[in-house]
Amino acid sequence: MNQLLENTLTIDGQVVPFSAGQTIMDAALAAGIYIPHLCHKPELKPHGSCKLCTVDVDGRSMSACTFPASQGMQVANNTPALTEVRKTLVQMLFVEGNHLCPTCDKTGDCTLQALGYHLGMLDGHFPPFYPRREVDASHPDLILDRDRCIMCGLCVRASQQIDGKNVFALSGRGAQNHVIVNSPSGKLGDSDLNKDDLAAHICPVGAILPKNHGHEVPIGRRTFDLHTVAESDIATFNLHKTEHHDD
Amino acid sequence: MSDKHLRRIAIDPISRVEGHGKITLLMDQDNHVQEARLHIVEFRGFEKFIQGRPFTEVPYFVQRLCGICPVSHHLAAAKAVDQLVGVDPESVTPTTHKLRRLLHFGQVLQSHALHFFHLSSPDLLFGFSSNLAHRNIVGVLEDYPDIGLKGVKLRKYGQQVIAAIAGKRIHGAATVPGGMNKSLSDEERKALLVDIKDIIQWSQDAVDLNEQIHLQHPENHGFATLTTSYLGMVGKQGEMELYHGGLRARHADGSAIIDQFDYTNYTQLLREEVRNWSYMKFPYLTSLGRENGWYRVGPLARVNLADFITTPKAEAARQKFRAFAHGGYVHDTLAYHWARMIEMLHCAEAIEELLHDPDIMGTDLVVKGTARREGIGVIEAPRGTLFHHYQIDEQGLIEKANLIVSTTSNNQAMNESVRSVANQYLEGQEITEGLLNHLEVAIRAYDPCLSCATHALGKMPLQVELHNAQGDVISSLSKSANGTIGCTFD
Ligand code: SF4
Ligand code: FES
Ligand code: NI
């Protein structure tokens, strides 16, 4: 094999370089290739829970955000079959919560919604659960609306790994799974979450939002009015990389 | 007389009224219609659903209540939400105030155009008894292409105004607590000015057409007509005012009940009666009592109540309208259509004025205040006075919501109009197609906002059942009608 192809893999036939320790997701994003994902952020340790990043590695289904890249690996990403799988996953996330996009303050900035569009989702397909989970409005600046939580764990990791706190946790299994607040009363207002923490901003959906605000960015100027979810995630990755090089 | 002695005629649903409706006619043994019951299932559950939700969501949530006047709900709720963040209607910035007015005029114009051209002009142009298959917008476009096209364009223009301000023609995003999220750019303003002269002219044509139709059909004058009191908003000088003002209520003879009433005290003004057969309440003016306190709202009420209209063409039209009743109030139910077009003309003129006002391009959009626990927003929606009332807990979650939509205010009046028409056209024990058509025309005059969730207009089969005193069906009639309007979901 050619020396130049050392430390490369292919994604949908495209040769992509990687460095030791990188996951398929890291290598893809660095090469400007978009693999759909919800529970992954470059600055946080991967969690591997949403399965949106499922790719085909030499014939087997793997989570790109956790699976290490290796020499000569053949990855299939953008295929009709995988799009179908991912669409089903997104549809399930939609029906498991109350995602009434038009009334949600996150509309236009929501990654779940953007992924729905990206994957060509036209409806919920499955019967909605209409869960009634607790809304926690006890914090002066933030609101936690569990009806919209997709259990991605990003707030948990952001709080632990970046903010140096431990505000959130995921608890329960299956349909009982929900995000809890580590405070004496279990309320956000009682926790040490600050509105400037990463955990207060990282939620990909409208489950953690600033209080008493909403719809301040006009239609046409919201994140996903201006960029596709692919563009925006690749840009986030590059931004993160630059920031790291700076410090 | 108790219900047991009354036969019921059920008509379900009504074609071309938005959504489902069902009528029960209760007859006494002499085959007189003693009571008419229009069953409307609207807005059930909304007040419960919104409980526990953050108040910032409310103006967005309420846009789902209606497929035709979402902006009116949006603005009424926004006015209430302003108060929750401590901002009174008079304290919003001029830019916000004017943008909201402009948005509202766009909504009323759009809704009125839709109602007249798509829903009512077929009845009025072809006559109530004409062939149903042709009595629809397609028929209008075939036989009166000019009128039909103007209708389509007027509606589009209203949507264009809405889209420029709210970002989308339906279910957009415009208001934030205490203000708006953007103003208009000069390009947007200029784009809207391009067609405004035509829009005013076509609105004028629509007024003239309706005036003619009403004047030339004396048989229409008494149709479903009721002599009632009226409720609506007026401006400080008593002028027609659709966005913000005081409430005025007057007796049928024009004598005063209340004037310049602060709507945040509406619970003193109105009570809502619950009747066991209806999901929809029956509001009445407290001072006049349960029996006599019902009233009408909407275009007929507003054109009657206004001392004048600020825009010249609409004012000239208003004067002709009132001259028809020799200066008194016009009570003809079918004159709702005429009054509606006068308002559409006013909206068109008012839009032009606002588009020349530099404030709509201003940058001062949001005012902040001290949080409060209660907010009440009232607006004149296309169909009449619309009340939104919210209470929040100390964390900002909705504790209590109360809405009085215009269709609710017209509830008693619609029942009375239906009863009047039924008595006029019911023969024996048979529901004829003619009767059905006439009942529909009576209801349609009020432009009731029925279920906006089901928009298969006219595609709904019309089912008529005649029940005897025991509740048995003794005769039934069903048919389907044709309509062409669909609903836009996003
Ligand atoms: S609250 Fe948001 S960030 Fe946290 S787990 Fe739920 S969806 Fe993820
Ligand atoms: S992004 Fe890989 S599992 Fe969620
Ligand atoms: Ni409506």
Side-chain angles (χ1 to χ4, degrees):
Chain A
M1 200 171 263
N2 189 320
Q3 276 296 100
L4 283 174
L5 293 184
E6 195 93 358
N7 272 5
T8 58
L9 51 81
T10 67
I11 300 179
D12 296 330
Q14 184 183 334
V15 177
V16 172
F18 68 90
S19 46
Q22 276 193 321
T23 61
I24 298 174
M25 179 70 80
D26 296 332
L29 286 173
I33 295 173
Y34 178 62
I35 300 176
H37 57 277
L38 266 174
C39 72
H40 180 72
K41 286 271 179 199
E43 67 265 50
L44 301 175
K45 293 200 188 97
H47 189 234
S49 62
C50 76
K51 303 297 171 207
L52 251 307
C53 66
T54 300
V55 288
D56 205 282
V57 180
D58 301 324
R60 288 187 302 152
S61 287
M62 292 295 167
S63 298
C65 70
T66 51
F67 202 73
S70 70
Q71 174 57 32
M73 185 182 250
Q74 309 250 352
V75 179
N77 168 41
N78 193 7
T79 69
L82 283 169
T83 299
E84 211 40 50
V85 170
R86 290 167 183 157
K87 188 165 95 183
T88 302
L89 288 169
V90 169
Q91 283 170 324
M92 284 164 64
L93 289 173
F94 262 94
V95 299
E96 282 165 15
N98 289 331
H99 299 281
L100 308 171
C101 299
T103 74
C104 179
D105 293 342
K106 192 88 175 180
T107 185
D109 292 314
C110 171
T111 311
L112 181 67
Q113 184 189 38
L115 267 171
Y117 284 121
H118 177 81
L119 297 167
M121 175 182 146
L122 297 174
D123 57 26
H125 184 77
F126 304 104
F129 290 29
Y130 296 125
R132 216 42 182 173
R133 307 191 196 114
E134 197 203 335
V135 177
D136 183 346
S138 59
H139 196 282
D141 305 314
L142 298 160
I143 207 154
L144 170 61
D145 183 353
R146 292 181 173 88
D147 282 358
R148 297 180 187 141
C149 174
I150 55 169
M151 324 299 168
C152 67
L154 282 172
C155 57
V156 178
R157 284 173 280 154
S159 185
Q160 289 169 349
Q161 298 167 22
I162 309 288
D163 303 332
K165 301 181 183 178
N166 187 23
V167 175
F168 297 102
L170 295 182
S171 162
R173 301 217 140 255
Q176 303 311 312
N177 200 355
H178 65 292
V179 61
I180 56 168
V181 176
N182 295 318
S183 72
S185 60
K187 296 275 187 196
L188 213 52
D190 237 2
S191 75
D192 53 354
L193 182 68
N194 185 284
K195 69 174 186 324
D196 300 320
D197 291 350
L198 181 62
H201 298 275
I202 201 162
C203 184
V205 293
I208 302 173
L209 282 172
K211 205 172 175 179
N212 300 352
H213 289 269
H215 300 275
E216 271 150 19
V217 183
I219 292 173
R221 293 184 219 158
R222 302 167 306 184
T223 310
F224 298 115
D225 294 331
L226 301 169
H227 304 285
T228 65
V229 64
E231 288 165 356
S232 137
D233 279 347
I234 289 165
T236 311
F237 178 86
N238 290 333
L239 186 74
H240 175 69
K241 221 171 47 181
T242 343
E243 278 171 357
H244 262 244
H245 286 201
D246 286 349
D247 55 45
Chain B
M1 176 167 289
S2 86
D3 281 12
K4 286 223 166 68
H5 302 283
L6 303 169
R7 278 195 295 271
R8 285 154 197 251
I9 301 166
I11 301 166
D12 178 18
I14 304 157
S15 75
R16 275 188 292 139
V17 171
E18 295 286 311
H20 291 281
K22 180 185 159 195
I23 300 168
T24 310
L25 301 176
L26 306 184
M27 297 191 297
D28 60 23
Q29 277 152 343
D30 305 323
N31 284 354
H32 283 120
V33 178
Q34 162 123 350
E35 190 186 339
R37 294 175 173 182
L38 179 54
H39 301 272
I40 299 172
V41 295
E42 296 325 293
F43 306 109
R44 260 198 304 160
F46 165 74
E47 278 115 333
K48 266 230 104 65
F49 197 96
I50 201 80
Q51 263 173 33
R53 300 301 308 166
F55 73 84
T56 48
E57 262 178 30
V58 171
Y60 291 86
F61 194 88
V62 298
Q63 297 200 81
R64 316 308 285 187
L65 287 174
C66 177
I68 300 199
C69 62
V71 167
S72 307
H73 284 290
H74 183 63
L75 287 172
K79 287 173 84 174
V81 163
D82 285 348
Q83 291 158 38
L84 296 177
V85 296
V87 178
D88 286 313
E90 283 82 12
S91 347
V92 295
T93 70
T95 296
T96 279
H97 184 72
K98 287 172 188 176
L99 283 169
R100 287 185 181 179
R101 288 177 72 86
L102 185 57
L103 178 62
H104 190 47
F105 290 136
Q107 168 72 91
V108 178
L109 182 115
Q110 183 293 123
S111 174
H112 281 4
L114 172 80
H115 185 265
F116 177 66
F117 292 98
H118 290 74
L119 301 178
S120 295
S121 71
D123 293 334
L124 296 170
L125 292 170
F126 298 127
F128 312 159
S129 313
S130 66
N131 176 15
L132 250 195
H134 190 65
R135 184 149 53 98
N136 52 46
I137 184 69
V138 178
V140 173
L141 284 166
E142 274 167 19
D143 294 11
Y144 303 90
D146 187 46
I147 294 175
L149 280 177
K150 282 177 194 167
V152 171
K153 287 185 177 162
L154 279 163
R155 186 180 175 213
K156 276 229 174 86
Y157 186 80
Q159 291 174 327
Q160 204 186 324
V161 173
I162 293 168
I165 299 170
K168 273 162 81 183
R169 68 196 162 77
I170 189 150
H171 302 149
T175 69
V176 296
M180 298 286 278
N181 66 13
K182 74 171 190 75
S183 55
L184 280 192
S185 67
D186 198 33
E187 300 85 79
E188 287 167 327
R189 186 183 72 86
K190 285 188 179 127
L192 290 174
L193 274 170
V194 172
D195 291 327
I196 191 65
K197 293 280 180 230
D198 284 343
I199 295 303
I200 293 172
Q201 185 55 50
W202 296 338
S203 301
Q204 178 73 62
D205 295 346
V207 171
D208 297 345
L209 175 67
N210 273 269
E211 181 183 304
Q212 259 174 43
I213 292 173
H214 201 73
L215 296 181
Q216 286 168 10
H217 291 271
E219 74 278 11
N220 285 4
H221 300 174
F223 181 85
T225 289
L226 310 168
T227 309
T228 63
S229 33
Y230 295 96
L231 174 73
M233 192 179 262
V234 290
K236 288 212 166 67
Q237 273 73 50
E239 74 274 25
M240 172 177 284
E241 175 54 50
L242 301 175
Y243 178 71
H244 185 70
L247 294 177
R248 170 179 281 182
R250 288 197 169 154
H251 291 288
D253 63 4
S255 58
I257 303 172
I258 43 120
D259 208 359
Q260 298 296 345
F261 187 88
D262 176 357
Y263 62 63
T264 59
N265 298 321
Y266 83 100
T267 53
Q268 293 163 25
L269 181 69
L270 297 175
R271 294 250 163 87
E272 293 177 274
E273 188 192 344
V274 176
R275 297 187 193 164
N276 60 8
W277 56 268
S278 175
Y279 289 116
M280 190 168 258
K281 291 176 184 167
F282 290 81
Y284 60 91
L285 293 160
T286 318
S287 63
L288 302 187
R290 211 176 262 241
E291 279 295 302
N292 305 311
W294 58 281
Y295 52 87
R296 290 197 278 184
V297 298
L300 185 65
R302 292 184 294 233
V303 177
N304 275 332
L305 289 170
D307 297 332
F308 66 102
I309 299 180
T310 52
T311 55
K313 293 189 166 75
E315 169 58 13
R318 185 198 70 87
Q319 289 179 11
K320 280 196 196 164
F321 183 85
R322 290 292 295 277
F324 168 71
H326 311 288
Y329 283 173
V330 179
H331 296 297
D332 305 10
T333 295
L334 286 177
Y336 257 100
H337 298 298
W338 183 2
R340 197 171 283 123
M341 293 302 97
I342 295 173
E343 290 189 339
M344 184 167 79
L345 177 57
H346 169 55
C347 290
E349 291 182 287
I351 287 172
E352 186 186 35
E353 272 177 18
L354 280 165
L355 287 175
H356 286 295
D357 189 328
D359 277 350
I360 61 167
M361 296 184 289
T363 50
D364 192 8
L365 287 162
V366 181
V367 180
K368 298 241 179 282
T370 314
R372 292 180 211 160
R373 299 280 293 271
E374 188 168 27
I376 296 171
V378 176
I379 197 168
E380 284 294 333
R383 299 165 176 82
T385 321
L386 173 64
F387 299 79
H388 278 234
H389 181 183
Y390 303 100
Q391 277 162 279
I392 54 174
D393 65 17
E394 68 285 348
Q395 300 185 344
L397 302 181
I398 299 289
E399 224 165 40
K400 223 172 145 212
N402 188 45
L403 264 62
I404 306 177
V405 302
S406 4
T407 302
T408 306
S409 280
N410 279 334
N411 199 357
Q412 182 67 23
M414 288 193 293
N415 283 295
E416 290 300 320
S417 281
V418 163
R419 184 169 73 106
S420 143
V421 171
N423 273 324
Q424 198 179 343
Y425 293 92
L426 182 69
E427 286 161 27
Q429 303 189 352
E430 215 150 340
I431 318 287
T432 58
E433 196 177 325
L435 174 65
L436 269 194
N437 290 343
H438 285 85
L439 292 178
E440 286 178 36
V441 170
I443 294 165
R444 200 140 51 225
Y446 292 92
D447 186 14
C449 178
L450 301 186
S451 175
C452 301
T454 40
H455 273 260
L457 291 189
K459 297 250 164 73
M460 294 181 277
L462 209 61
Q463 259 219 342
V464 191
E465 287 183 352
L466 180 59
H467 295 240
N468 65 13
Q470 283 73 44
D472 303 324
V473 180
I474 56 170
S475 118
S476 71
L477 173 72
S478 62
K479 68 178 173 73
S480 54
N482 284 311
T484 54
I485 300 157
C487 171
T488 323
F489 295 102
D490 56 351

